[in-house]
Amino acid sequence: VASPVVAGAVTLLASTVPIEKRSTHLNPASMKQALVESATRLNGLSIFEQGAGHLNLYGAYEVLTGKAPRVTVFPEHWDLSLEACPYMWPFCTQGMYAGAQPIIINATILNSMAVSSHVVGPVEWLPGEQGECLDVHVEHAPVIWPWSGYLAVFIKIKPECATRRGIATGKVRVTVESPPVYGSSVRRTGEADLSLRVQMIQTPDRRMRILWDHYHNVQYPPGFFPRDNLAHRDFLDWNGDHPHTNFRGLYGKIKEAGYFLEILGEPFTCFDATQYGTLMIVD
């Protein structure tokens, strides 16, 4: 039901852009920017359940007609602190600590200036309060095409900050270069920030640390929509095991019991088993 509703809204929004501006201001990226930047967040649902939130047609109109083509990142703000629930579930259910497996967040670079562009220079990490404690590694699409590309951010707490507590903040800044507009020879650049807010806690005792092996599980193929319901006998739903999807109930029980759970996305040779009390191999 949602798709035809949004399709109708997009048609209405497109009709509000003056004809003389449609070639430069109306494209898939500008439309998505308008929709997600104006959406109204819903109570009680996580980011993975609602995305940006409820469609706000008039708000989207104001964004689409009031802002020039630009580079943005969606979501632009990632609050991984304990008070960010339920919207930032599961990130808000557990603080980060030194020695843990990296937290990986996936965002989208949107460039409404050109259908094809590329990231120039290294992606910058701009630390804020206690941001020097965050070890941030970034991977991104080599070409932003068509209109968008991925931005993956890997976050760890540095070993020298094992005794630090509280909130660490900072920004990931990406610069994108687009071709010149028609009739010009000047290439265009745009910057976009992804802000981070991370809860740092003391590294728990190894007896309370559980490592969930996700590396050896069957991965969902592109385009597959999991039911995340074990009542169905779908091969991928039974074998694409992950504690945040079809084992969400088990994850909740583990957290209620006071344990700390980390996700292993690498071979067994790539982690220090002496730091964990339990290795969970789920099949």
Side-chain angles (χ1 to χ4, degrees), residues 139-281:
E139 295 181 3
H140 59 80
V143 178
I144 311 303
W145 183 90
W147 307 104
S148 65
Y150 71 86
L151 181 69
V153 183
F154 301 75
I155 311 163
K156 297 180 70 174
I157 304 296
K158 293 180 179 179
E160 57 267 31
C161 292
T163 60
R164 294 279 193 96
R165 306 291 180 270
I167 301 295
T169 65
K171 293 180 179 180
V172 172
R173 176 164 295 170
V174 57
T175 303
V176 175
E177 185 177 82
S178 303
V181 296
Y182 182 76
S184 172
S185 60
V186 180
R187 302 184 69 85
R188 297 165 293 165
T189 59
E191 291 182 346
D193 291 343
L194 180 153
S195 65
L196 287 174
R197 189 171 185 267
V198 175
Q199 183 90 46
M200 297 190 298
I201 63 173
Q202 180 179 353
T203 302
D205 187 275
R206 67 181 297 264
R207 293 173 296 178
M208 304 304 295
R209 293 176 64 180
I210 298 175
L211 189 62
W212 181 293
D213 174 28
H214 189 241
Y215 178 80
H216 294 92
N217 289 342
V218 175
Q219 306 294 307
Y220 292 144
F224 176 75
F225 290 91
R227 295 187 182 91
D228 290 335
N229 184 348
L230 296 186
H232 296 276
R233 304 299 297 184
D234 186 280
F235 171 78
L236 286 168
D237 264 344
W238 271 87
N239 295 277
D241 305 323
H242 195 285
H244 299 154
T245 54
N246 46 348
F247 279 89
R248 179 170 178 169
L250 176 58
Y251 176 79
K253 293 297 183 182
I254 290 173
K255 294 303 300 174
E256 288 175 9
Y259 290 96
F260 295 81
L261 190 141
E262 302 169 32
I263 309 300
L264 178 65
E266 301 176 305
F268 287 156
T269 54
C270 296
F271 76 97
D272 183 0
T274 65
Q275 300 303 309
Y276 300 91
T278 303
L279 171 65
M280 294 188 69
I281 305 175

Side-chain angles (χ1 to χ4, degrees), residues 57-81:
L57 185 59
Y58 187 75
Y61 157 74
E62 291 185 315
V63 174
L64 184 63
T65 58
K67 293 188 177 182
R70 64 203 185 283
V71 179
T72 60
V73 173
F74 175 75
E76 65 176 351
H77 181 62
W78 291 79
D79 187 349
L80 312 185
S81 65

Side-chain angles (χ1 to χ4, degrees), residues 86-106:
Y87 185 67
M88 291 307 298
W89 192 96
F91 301 108
C92 57
T93 61
Q94 179 173 294
M96 295 187 64
Y97 45 86
Q101 297 294 310
I103 295 293
I104 306 172
I105 61 175
N106 293 297

